[in-house]
Amino acid sequence: MFNGLRRTKIVATLGPATDREGEMEKMIIAGVDVVRINMSHGSPEEHKLRVQNVRELAEKLDRQVGVLVDLQGPKIRIGRFSENKIILADGDKFSLDNNVGKNDGNQREVGLTYKNLPYDVKSGHRLLLDDGRLVFEVNDVVGERVNCTVIVGGVLSNNKGINLQGGGLSAAALTDKDKEDIITAAEMNADYLALSFPRSAEDVEYCRSLAVKAGLNCSIVSKIERAEAVADDATLDGIILASDVIMIARGDLGVEVGDAQLPALQKKMIKRARQLNRVTITATQMMETMIDNAIPTRAEVFDVANAVMDGSDAVMLSGETATGKSPSLVIETMGRICREAEKSRTSRESTHRIDESFTAVDETIAMATMYAANHFGVKCIAALTESGNTPLLMSRISSGMPIIALTPHLATRRKVTLYRGVYPSSVDYTGLDDAQIQASIIEKIKAFGIAEVGDLIVLTRGESRGAMGGTNRMEIVKVL
């Protein structure tokens, strides 16, 4: 049931490839933990059908699978070319102009879907197009026309994205389309909602308020992909604290800050999010070659393993599963890499918060539990939880110890699918006294095959069941 006790979670994007007959079932069996609905593609009806299919299959297979809805965010793009594409050489003059028709681009100029560009840039700025494949330097801005010199040329085709080196484009994080998509996410009862291009904690709080207004009480994922988000520690901390999860979206972020800075930034963000009790997803081109190939490159294997050893809660697949040849094979392969990386010492040891004071009872119990589990011969931690907060706090500490989140709430079971080393399971304690609850939990743990008679487990629970944040007891129990 616990998929060989792989601790790092796998997020897989749904798309045409996952719609193939029997593929989604194979993905769940292969161990996908969370599915991602990419609102940049497809219709609301398609998305709803996919989510319904996932949930029905998960129930049939007795698995919990979370649903993450990823908002498109602002489209900072050029228009289209009359001949679909052009070839630019280094040194060519080229202009981006609001007054060029959306389909009338040519060898000298192209229109813009992002109308604010002429007001955001000035002479000397560098524009990066098509994920940084082409580089333009701004010569001047005349009215709504941005005149440039091509620094790095190449093929430029329709609707390619624009980034400003160092960041600074003024596009709002939430568009009208995103606001409609939040309502669709509420109709799907999404477990996670991902916000594209947040620049500050205020963007995240605004997204959360729109979700609540739509009747969606879910966790918010902030995709860190703008230079402004990582420009200083205070801004990054603000975004992390306003969010439940951060996604290290290495595509746009790499273009804006430069690829060379990405590895250090990735490690810093994962470490900081764990310190602040938040969850992390590492994303973008993790196993890109498996869109077409049956095996990953060595570089991709190292990339996934490094994300695991850095402490990432989850690793994400995009085109690999959405449009790839064999989504379930990619998940199996990624799962194997994660399990091997988790054997490393850095993945199993921690000095997390060892010198800090704690501020809440459930937090203190969670920290004491992990200290006991890591220094005493127990087989697992069984956490009776309402909101999932105690298992979240526990999972911030690196350990080889499985944390079983036992909860009567379906929404909580789906939420913890993203937490590293936490495995959801249902429990019904209606009409049971303390001794009966303990006995039923032990029977569950035995049935899972994690512990047998004579083994010790750590059990945490609250005195008053049904109260959020009420965990106030820790027991070390022998399995009988």
Side-chain angles (χ1 to χ4, degrees):
M1 171 167 180
F2 297 125
N3 196 38
L5 293 179
R6 167 172 48 79
R7 301 176 60 72
T8 311
K9 304 306 179 78
I10 294 177
V11 181
T13 303
L14 302 189
T18 65
D19 292 340
R20 293 196 291 258
E21 186 67 35
E23 189 61 42
M24 195 65 240
E25 185 164 350
K26 286 197 284 187
M27 288 168 66
I28 294 174
I29 292 166
V32 70
D33 297 289
V34 176
V35 295
R36 171 177 173 252
I37 303 294
N38 184 358
M39 299 308 269
S40 298
H41 306 286
S43 67
E45 290 68 36
E46 281 177 315
H47 299 318
K48 287 176 189 174
L49 275 174
R50 283 173 180 153
V51 168
Q52 185 184 341
N53 183 36
V54 167
R55 290 195 165 142
E56 286 171 0
L57 286 169
E59 191 172 352
K60 173 185 148 187
L61 297 166
D62 192 25
R63 282 288 310 276
Q64 299 295 338
V65 178
V67 171
L68 185 154
V69 170
D70 194 337
L71 300 173
Q72 178 177 283
K75 289 175 73 172
I76 304 173
R77 300 182 184 278
I78 60 170
R80 299 173 64 85
F81 294 93
S82 56
E83 303 290 324
N84 292 321
K85 65 180 181 182
I86 59 167
I87 299 173
L88 291 168
D90 298 2
D92 282 356
K93 302 298 180 189
F94 192 78
S95 297
L96 309 165
D97 192 334
N98 275 343
N99 298 307
V100 173
K102 64 179 181 180
N103 298 309
D104 297 337
N106 55 52
Q107 194 64 40
R108 298 177 311 282
E109 61 189 7
V110 72
L112 290 161
T113 64
Y114 177 59
K115 300 299 184 184
N116 269 9
L117 187 74
Y119 305 98
D120 287 349
V121 300
K122 60 185 181 184
S123 175
H125 276 171
R126 288 210 166 186
L127 297 174
L128 309 159
L129 282 84
D130 191 12
D131 291 335
R133 290 180 179 88
L134 290 89
V135 181
F136 296 174
E137 184 164 298
V138 177
N139 299 329
D140 59 18
V141 181
V142 180
E144 293 192 313
R145 185 177 180 88
V146 181
N147 298 311
C148 305
T149 298
V150 177
I151 304 298
V152 178
V155 175
L156 184 59
S157 55
N158 296 334
N159 299 320
K160 291 303 179 195
I162 308 167
N163 292 89
L164 174 59
Q165 193 171 58
L169 296 180
S170 64
L174 283 155
T175 65
D176 290 341
K177 180 187 184 314
D178 294 332
K179 291 169 188 176
E180 288 168 22
D181 287 341
I182 288 172
I183 294 166
T184 304
E187 290 166 359
M188 294 188 283
N189 198 18
D191 305 294
Y192 288 92
L193 183 66
L195 171 64
S196 296
F197 301 103
R199 289 170 299 186
S200 64
E202 288 74 27
D203 286 342
V204 186
E205 285 154 7
Y206 182 46
C207 179
R208 193 184 296 277
S209 72
L210 290 176
V212 170
K213 189 177 170 187
L216 179 60
N217 183 22
C218 71
S219 299
I220 303 295
V221 181
S222 287
K223 296 165 68 177
I224 309 296
E225 46 194 345
R226 274 188 158 161
E228 295 96 310
V230 295
D232 59 78
D233 290 348
T235 302
L236 180 60
D237 277 6
I239 292 173
I240 294 172
L241 286 166
S243 316
D244 302 287
V245 183
I246 62 161
M247 183 190 293
I248 301 160
R250 302 176 303 179
D252 280 286
L253 185 62
V255 173
E256 291 207 355
V257 303
D259 287 335
Q261 289 196 43
L262 276 181
L265 268 175
Q266 175 174 308
K267 290 177 192 299
K268 174 184 173 175
M269 286 189 276
I270 292 171
K271 183 178 180 182
R272 189 61 182 143
R274 287 178 81 85
Q275 287 171 343
L276 296 173
N277 294 326
R278 299 300 189 267
V279 175
T280 53
I281 303 169
T282 302
T284 318
Q285 295 176 329
M286 299 217 79
M287 302 185 81
E288 187 94 345
T289 58
M290 284 194 79
I291 290 174
D292 299 307
N293 301 325
I295 58 169
T297 64
R298 300 292 178 272
E300 288 168 339
V301 172
F302 272 82
D303 186 29
V304 173
N306 274 322
V308 172
M309 290 188 278
D310 287 345
S312 190
D313 286 85
V315 282
M316 193 174 102
L317 297 162
S318 298
E320 300 96 329
T321 51
T323 59
K325 277 188 177 174
S326 180
S328 53
L329 176 64
V330 185
I331 290 164
E332 281 174 28
T333 306
M334 190 174 238
R336 279 199 306 275
I337 298 165
C338 290
R339 277 193 287 272
E340 284 303 314
E342 286 162 4
K343 292 176 183 175
S344 79
R345 187 174 166 186
T346 55
S347 298
R348 302 169 75 91
E349 293 185 0
S350 177
T351 56
H352 175 72
R353 306 192 64 196
I354 204 156
D355 301 319
E356 288 182 37
S357 297
F358 308 130
T359 56
V361 173
D362 59 344
E363 181 182 29
T364 306
I365 294 290
M367 298 298 103
T369 298
M370 295 310 292
Y371 199 81
N374 280 342
H375 293 81
F376 195 55
V378 300
K379 289 291 183 181
C380 75
I381 297 152
L384 204 59
T385 182
E386 298 290 329
S387 67
N389 192 52
T390 304
L392 169 67
L393 293 167
M394 291 174 180
S395 67
R396 299 310 83 199
I397 292 183
S398 299
S399 162
M401 196 67 57
I403 301 162
I404 315 302
L406 295 145
T407 178
H409 308 298
L410 179 59
T412 301
R413 293 198 294 275
R414 287 177 177 160
K415 183 164 74 170
V416 303
T417 53
L418 201 56
Y419 301 172
R420 182 164 170 147
V422 177
Y423 310 94
S425 184
S426 61
V427 65
D428 182 6
Y429 43 65
T430 311
L432 302 183
D433 62 24
D434 263 10
Q436 290 168 320
I437 289 171
Q438 183 174 305
S440 74
I441 289 171
I442 288 172
E443 284 309 308
K444 261 188 182 293
I445 299 299
K446 279 160 69 176
F448 294 152
I450 300 173
E452 35 192 62
V453 174
D455 287 336
L456 297 173
I457 65 169
V458 182
L459 177 58
T460 66
R461 49 186 162 154
E463 209 168 355
S464 50
R465 291 189 294 281
M468 297 289 182
T471 299
N472 62 357
R473 295 167 62 181
M474 177 188 97
E475 305 158 77
I476 297 177
V477 181
K478 183 174 268 193
V479 176
L480 299 173

